Amino acid sequence: MAKPRIAVHKFSSCDGCQLQFLTLEEELLQLAERVEIAHFIEASSDLDGGPYSDFDVSFVEGSVTTPEEVHRIKKIRENSKVVIAIGACGTAGGIQALRNWGDIENYKRAFYTLPEYIDSAPQSTPFSDHITVDAELAGCPPDQGQLKYVINSLLNGVQARIPSEAICLKCKRDGNVCVLVAQEKPCMGPITKTGCGALCPHQERDCYSCFGPAETANIDALGRRFMGLGMPPHGFAHRLRFIYSWAPIYREASERWIVRGAEYRPLPPSSTGANP
Ligand code: SF4
Ligand code: SF4
């Protein structure tokens, strides 16, 4: 039986998500026994017919930031049975989406000697703005365990179930002492999607939400809790405008907290309102 053909495509990104595949090392070799890694520019110059060949599964990394990338992702969608968007860039536009609040023409003039040669879309956008994606793996970068789980699920013909609960639940299961409650650090864990293994709280650091919003995120309660720690409303808005700034729920809340943040009442540090 022919092996399933897998591709890893790069768009506008730092390549960090692709490195999550490459640093699987021996496991990547085991995977190569079960699938044909047909197109993966970061790993091999043998591109097997180019990005528009037929693939069983295409992983797509990066955000869509140029007219050429809009065209390319549509062609990849046409030629792939399954398309999985990976990383903060692919699922929400990434850190580069911070430019979406400004005017791209001003940036081009400010940073490039010959701005007329820069062919850039007005905004940095996720793949789901342009095509139907079959699954999304969040994270900057995504978790290798989740990558392996999704690939194994596909190979075994079962539906992958990617958890979308808040990181706090992982902390509770692991017995972490809460850094928000015990150390009054502005941890974004109560509104951040699980998947990283609660890496930062495990090291007694506050989460900065590199996995993006959890499915049920009580954003205003967390903002009020941070106000109770002395953080001004625009400080909370800037916590939202970071790696997942263009995720709709963070985008909307950051705008609201900048314009109307002073209207919110702080929750005192003793409150557990934002923390499950
Ligand atoms: S607030 Fe942060 S440290 Fe506390 S339980 Fe949630 S994720 Fe863990
Ligand atoms: S705890 Fe938060 S900031 Fe740290 S790796 Fe996980 S999602 Fe990213």
Side-chain angles (χ1 to χ4, degrees):
M1 205 169 80
K3 293 178 182 176
R5 283 165 54 80
I6 288 190
V8 181
H9 302 273
K10 172 189 162 59
F11 286 71
S12 293
S13 67
C14 74
D15 293 16
C17 300
Q18 294 178 75
L19 288 177
Q20 290 295 80
F21 282 100
L22 288 179
T23 53
L24 286 172
E25 299 183 346
E26 283 190 16
E27 289 172 292
L28 187 63
L29 296 178
Q30 289 167 7
L31 178 66
E33 290 172 8
R34 298 185 66 192
V35 304
E36 179 190 352
I37 302 174
H39 180 93
F40 189 175
I41 291 179
E42 184 105 350
S44 169
S45 55
D46 179 2
L47 302 180
D48 191 11
Y52 305 143
S53 305
D54 290 337
F55 299 113
D56 292 294
V57 183
S58 280
F59 290 92
V60 286
E61 175 217 69
S63 67
V64 179
T65 62
T66 67
E68 183 275 332
E69 288 181 336
V70 174
H71 171 76
R72 185 152 53 97
I73 189 57
K74 288 182 177 169
K75 294 288 288 181
I76 288 169
R77 174 70 274 184
E78 282 172 20
N79 295 314
S80 305
K81 290 182 187 151
V82 174
V83 175
I84 300 177
I86 57 172
C89 303
T91 58
I95 191 81
Q96 58 271 32
L98 287 171
R99 75 169 166 85
N100 295 357
W101 275 279
D103 181 345
I104 187 66
E105 297 306 321
N106 287 342
Y107 290 133
K108 285 193 317 198
R109 281 193 294 275
F111 292 108
Y112 295 98
T113 314
L114 297 170
E116 61 272 26
Y117 285 98
I118 306 299
D119 189 16
S120 195
Q123 294 184 327
S124 171
T125 46
F127 295 111
S128 59
D129 278 11
H130 305 278
I131 60 161
T132 300
V133 294
D134 298 294
E136 292 188 325
L137 278 184
C140 183
D143 177 68
Q144 284 184 323
Q146 286 198 343
L147 278 174
K148 288 187 285 185
Y149 166 66
V150 165
I151 293 169
N152 268 322
S153 300
L154 287 165
L155 287 173
N156 291 307
V158 296
Q159 187 177 2
R161 297 195 182 280
I162 312 295
S164 56
E165 65 200 26
I167 286 180
C168 293
L169 297 172
K170 173 70 176 160
C171 273
K172 297 295 175 283
R173 287 189 204 108
D174 290 358
N176 288 347
V177 175
C178 176
V179 298
L180 175 59
V181 171
Q183 299 184 31
E184 300 195 347
K185 291 179 178 173
C187 185
M188 299 284 278
I191 60 172
T192 299
K193 186 186 289 178
T194 192
C196 67
L199 272 181
C200 298
H202 266 298
Q203 302 298 321
E204 296 190 31
R205 293 198 307 252
D206 44 316
C207 166
Y208 52 87
S209 202
C210 78
F211 268 60
E215 189 171 4
T216 51
N218 190 344
I219 293 181
D220 292 344
L222 188 65
R224 294 175 60 206
R225 183 71 160 77
F226 286 3
M227 285 175 89
L229 301 177
M231 183 181 285
H234 69 264
F236 179 57
H238 288 151
R239 293 284 281 178
L240 296 168
R241 282 192 189 178
F242 191 35
I243 291 172
Y244 264 84
S245 66
W246 207 243
I249 184 173
Y250 281 7
R251 188 193 327 166
E252 181 275 328
S254 72
E255 284 164 4
R256 187 158 36 79
W257 272 76
I258 283 174
V259 175
R260 291 182 32 218
E263 295 172 19
Y264 291 102
R265 295 219 331 273
L267 285 170
S270 59
S271 163
T272 55
N275 214 22

